[in-house]
């Protein structure tokens, strides 16, 4: 009678890369489903917080979530 020995092989997959803390205005526009002009308008109004790194403008990921939280619902919720 043969006994099979099974060895656990370490997984070759690596943990997923962390989400970037900053996004370009173009990536922000794509994530929000907005046009680039509207995204720049929101940055200019302070609705989206942006940081400068040299000449590069980057939008804080946290400000995108905060912006979405401030938006009113598409429909008023029904009160029971």
């Amino acid at each position: 009678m043969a006994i099979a020995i099974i060895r656990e092989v370490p997984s070759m997959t690596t943990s997923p890369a962390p989400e970037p803390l900053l996004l370009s205005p173009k990536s922000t526009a794509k994530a929000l489903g907005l046009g680039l002009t509207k995204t720049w308008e929101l940055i200019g109004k302070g609705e989206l917080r942006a940081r400068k790194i040299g000449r590069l403008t980057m939008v804080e990921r946290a400000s995108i979530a905060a912006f979405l939280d401030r938006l009113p619902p598409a429909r008023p919720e029904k009160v029971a």
Side-chain angles (χ1 to χ4, degrees):
M1 176 164 153
I3 298 176
I5 299 175
I6 301 173
R7 263 190 252 166
E8 190 171 323
V9 178
S11 175
M12 295 300 290
T13 60
T14 59
S15 59
E19 294 286 329
L21 298 175
L22 300 171
L23 295 173
S24 68
K26 185 175 181 179
S27 295
T28 300
K30 186 174 180 181
L32 291 173
L34 300 174
L36 194 52
T37 302
K38 183 64 173 180
T39 301
W40 277 107
E41 180 184 320
L42 293 170
I43 292 169
K45 288 179 173 180
E47 295 285 330
L48 293 171
R49 285 190 319 265
R51 302 288 180 192
K52 293 293 280 186
I53 303 172
R55 293 176 57 188
L56 188 64
T57 300
M58 300 295 283
V59 178
E60 296 176 12
R61 179 178 287 281
S63 78
I64 297 170
F67 169 72
L68 293 174
D69 288 341
R70 290 190 304 270
L71 292 176
R75 300 183 172 184
E77 295 182 20
K78 293 182 180 179
V79 178

